[in-house]
Amino acid sequence: MGWMPLSPGGIAICRTRGIGVEAVGEGIHGKGCHHRRRSGKNVFQVHGAAADGSVLFREKLSRPQFARFIADQPPFLVAMEACASAHHWAREMARHGHEVRLIAPHYVKPFLKRQKNDAADAEAITEALRPAMRFVEPKSADQQARAVAFRTRERLVKQRTEAVNALRSHLDEFGHTTSEGIGHVPRLAKVFDDPENDVPELARDICRPFRLLNVLDDFNREDLGSAIDFSLPAERVVRALNQIIEWRGAPRTIRIDNGPEYISGTLMEWAEHKGIALAHIQPGKPQQNAYVERYNRTIRHEWLDLDIFETIKAV
């Protein structure tokens, strides 16, 4: 982190240096902020330089001390290596009237004069503060929140892929093979649903996937009910719909996809008996049932994928 006082007529970065700060503390190694687990507390190495390049001070501050330090200083021009926590500190410093510049770590490295350590890194950041330097725009809290959502989704997708690959390898040990890809998961489910195969009961209970039925109101998109089981045949769907009708009343139409349980004679006979029209979406066009598909995806990725369930009751 580089830091320098603001000049009365503006900032002439070409004539100035500043304060360099190197953060040390518990956490993850990353992008210029060195986090060492052997350190019991967060430490900031501060290097201050005047406009002529002379050293004003070198300090090593704890996190509380550093927070008080930036609050007590007059407006400075601050340069920091761009890392995850740098954006937070950039917002904090801007709140105290300081002007902040974030520099990518690989742009700071050429200015390192001697053996790499926190004090040398902090001084190198001040040296890197010059007009031709490319700076990173500090992120707002909302921007970082969106990045967290993106990274979380990416991690969940990775975990799902790992789970499917693990399931394929487990079944391969019992002589059941399937192709790679998330689209082949229904084939894996059929293996567990077949009582005649040689998969032991213990492995069947641990690896067996489950199915989820969600019923939404087409008017206000309220979740009217859900059914969860290892298998959801037409009879199970009919039972779930009857439970909803008992308190909600029968609808005029139910829009459904073209799964085998939804095109079965059992469901069609039930609908005819109740005077309910079944509106099947066109094959290959799930967007006709878009908000239901989106709701199902939210439940799968943002709710169920966050846990590992040992029993269907726990689900």
Side-chain angles (χ1 to χ4, degrees), residues 150-177:
F150 175 80
R151 290 194 297 268
T152 301
R153 180 190 180 279
E154 190 176 38
R155 180 174 293 274
L156 291 176
V157 171
K158 181 180 179 181
Q159 291 173 346
R160 181 186 66 177
T161 302
E162 291 174 349
V164 172
N165 290 338
L167 186 60
R168 289 178 55 252
S169 65
H170 294 332
L171 289 180
D172 191 39
E173 297 180 15
F174 300 103
H176 301 278
T177 60

Side-chain angles (χ1 to χ4, degrees), residues 180-296:
E180 295 182 3
I182 195 70
H184 297 284
V185 171
R187 295 185 184 181
L188 303 177
K190 290 181 181 180
V191 175
F192 294 104
D193 292 337
D194 182 8
E196 303 299 328
N197 62 42
D198 57 350
V199 178
E201 195 64 29
L202 176 60
R204 190 189 302 271
D205 290 341
I206 293 175
C207 301
R208 192 176 184 184
F210 58 87
R211 302 194 64 190
L212 175 66
L213 167 69
N214 294 310
V215 182
L216 272 66
D217 190 314
D218 191 45
F219 174 71
N220 58 16
R221 303 186 181 182
E222 175 188 358
D223 186 352
L224 302 180
S226 300
I228 303 170
D229 212 328
F230 290 121
S231 179
L232 289 175
E235 293 79 7
R236 183 72 172 84
V237 174
V238 167
R239 187 163 78 244
L241 294 176
N242 280 330
Q243 292 174 349
I244 295 174
I245 288 176
E246 286 181 2
W247 66 272
R248 184 77 175 192
R252 288 179 296 182
T253 305
I254 297 178
R255 186 170 65 252
I256 50 180
D257 60 30
N258 295 277
E261 63 273 27
Y262 302 130
I263 61 176
S264 66
T266 300
L267 185 62
M268 292 185 178
E269 291 176 5
W270 172 84
E272 183 179 359
H273 175 72
K274 293 288 188 178
I276 300 173
L278 296 180
H280 292 87
I281 65 173
Q282 293 178 305
K285 294 187 176 181
Q287 65 271 19
Q288 295 180 353
N289 217 14
Y291 70 89
V292 177
E293 296 293 342
R294 184 168 60 250
Y295 183 78
N296 290 339

Side-chain angles (χ1 to χ4, degrees), residues 1 44 63 66-67 70 80-81 83-96 100 102 138-141 144:
M1 181 185 297
F44 294 86
R63 178 177 290 267
F66 181 69
I70 62 175
M80 298 182 289
E81 280 190 346
C83 63
S85 60
H87 298 279
H88 162 72
W89 285 112
R91 294 192 296 269
E92 287 295 310
M93 293 176 189
R95 190 165 59 86
H96 292 290
V100 182
L102 302 184
K139 295 179 182 179
S140 67
Q144 287 190 289

Side-chain angles (χ1 to χ4, degrees), residues 6-60:
L6 294 175
S7 59
I11 300 170
I13 299 179
C14 61
R15 297 188 298 104
T16 58
R17 293 298 182 262
I19 295 177
V21 178
E22 193 67 12
V24 184
E26 295 179 339
I28 302 172
H29 288 270
K31 298 184 179 178
C33 289
H34 302 283
H35 303 280
R36 301 175 182 171
R37 292 184 180 278
R38 66 177 178 269
S39 176
K41 57 185 178 182
N42 295 328
V43 179
F44 294 86
Q45 180 70 42
V46 183
H47 179 94
D52 59 359
S54 59
V55 177
L56 296 177
F57 54 83
R58 292 187 180 97
E59 299 284 350
K60 181 175 288 188

